[in-house]
Amino acid sequence: GAVVSQHPSWVICKSGTSVKIECRSLDFQATTMFWYRQFPKQSLMLMATSNEGSKATYEQGVEKDKFLINHASLTLSTLTVTSAHPEDSSFYICSASPGDITEAFFGQGTRLTVV
Amino acid sequence: GQQLNQSPQSMFIQEGEDVSMNCTSSSIFNTWLWYKQDPGEGPVLLIALYKAGELTSNGRLTAQFGITRKDSFLNISASIPSDVGIYFCAGKSNDYKLSFGAGTTVTVRA
């Protein structure tokens, strides 16, 4: 299947700092990528849809100024958690599809811990 | 997206037994996907289903896309220790977003 790579795998940061997470589609182009958040022993919750060359669309309840998304190329989307707080600690995962109607492939996830 | 109804929530099975789990939805989906997630990792795609009634196998895994397009099941035959993990169903709708089930945690006793 197609490969989606996420970096970093884990990060620890201090409260008030910002953290950037990258999501890359390695062997296909993706005009759309999706960002999810997952709490322990829970399912994936969609945060936002990242659209190449245009603004991201956010799910209800997700602060767009808190979670900045940039999709500058067909193979890279970034999620920046700004002014991070301990409650932002979570597992963040991205996904992309080679085509709109095909299966979605996920990155390996990023464990964010804010101290 | 909505959360799908996935059951069972967890199961303990003996090695060699068959496993069955299913998902239902109040909405129609164009695609049903089944994923397995290991701790600290992203979900890995197991099977993708695109047509109502479709029955697809991948090794010891078999999944079906329900006729009503509102449900799907996944079977694992002759379970082995490495089948341990959390299995998620996901439905893809016209807006290309995925809705997930809550997950089924499978524990295999050797």
Side-chain angles (χ1 to χ4, degrees), chain A residues 7 15 21 27 31-32 37 40 43 46 58-59 64 76 80 82 94-95 98-99:
Chain A
H7 178 81
S15 285
I21 302 170
D27 50 2
T31 55
T32 304
R37 184 172 181 175
S43 190
L46 180 64
Y58 291 80
E59 295 299 299
K64 61 179 70 174
L76 173 65
T80 301
T82 63
C94 69
S95 78

Side-chain angles (χ1 to χ4, degrees), chain A residues 34 36 38 42-46 49 59 91 93 97 99-109 111, chain B residues 1 3 31 33 35 37 40-45 48 50 86 88 92 95-98 100-103:
Chain A
F34 298 91
Y36 299 84
Q38 186 179 32
Q42 292 190 21
S43 190
L44 286 75
M45 296 301 296
L46 180 64
T49 303
E59 295 299 299
F91 194 55
I93 315 174
S97 299
D100 288 334
I101 60 171
T102 58
E103 54 267 42
F105 296 92
F106 286 84
Q108 60 268 55
R111 170 72 58 195
Chain B
Q3 183 158 68
T31 304
L33 305 167
Y35 292 89
Q37 186 178 27
E41 301 287 334
V44 174
L45 181 67
Y50 300 105
I86 303 177
F88 290 102
K92 200 171 194 181
D95 61 2
Y96 312 124
K97 295 180 182 179
L98 288 180
F100 284 88

Side-chain angles (χ1 to χ4, degrees), chain A residues 3-110:
Chain A
V3 180
V4 176
S5 178
Q6 201 170 327
H7 178 81
S9 298
W10 58 271
V11 57
I12 301 173
C13 71
K14 292 184 177 180
S15 285
T17 61
S18 295
V19 173
K20 181 186 285 188
I21 302 170
E22 294 186 347
C23 179
R24 294 181 187 273
S25 55
L26 297 187
D27 50 2
F28 65 96
Q29 294 182 330
T31 55
T32 304
M33 293 184 177
F34 298 91
W35 286 96
Y36 299 84
R37 184 172 181 175
Q38 186 179 32
F39 291 105
K41 298 188 178 182
Q42 292 190 21
S43 190
L44 286 75
M45 296 301 296
L46 180 64
M47 298 174 64
T49 303
S50 173
N51 304 299
E52 188 269 335
S54 64
K55 290 182 180 180
T57 52
Y58 291 80
E59 295 299 299
Q60 191 172 9
V62 178
E63 300 175 59
K64 61 179 70 174
D65 295 329
K66 174 79 173 170
F67 299 100
L68 299 179
I69 291 173
N70 183 274
H71 194 151
S73 79
L74 287 171
T75 59
L76 173 65
S77 173
T78 60
L79 169 68
T80 301
V81 183
T82 63
S83 186
H85 291 286
E87 57 265 31
D88 297 325
S89 298
S90 190
F91 194 55
Y92 293 87
I93 315 174
C94 69
S95 78
S97 299
D100 288 334
I101 60 171
T102 58
E103 54 267 42
F105 296 92
F106 286 84
Q108 60 268 55
T110 298

Side-chain angles (χ1 to χ4, degrees), chain B residues 19-58:
Chain B
V19 176
S20 185
M21 61 193 79
N22 69 84
C23 270
T24 60
S25 166
S26 56
S27 304
I28 289 173
F29 289 113
N30 299 322
T31 304
W32 279 94
L33 305 167
W34 285 93
Y35 292 89
K36 179 174 183 274
Q37 186 178 27
D38 292 326
E41 301 287 334
V44 174
L45 181 67
L46 299 174
I47 290 182
L49 303 158
Y50 300 105
K51 287 168 51 177
E54 179 182 354
L55 183 71
T56 297
S57 293
N58 178 10

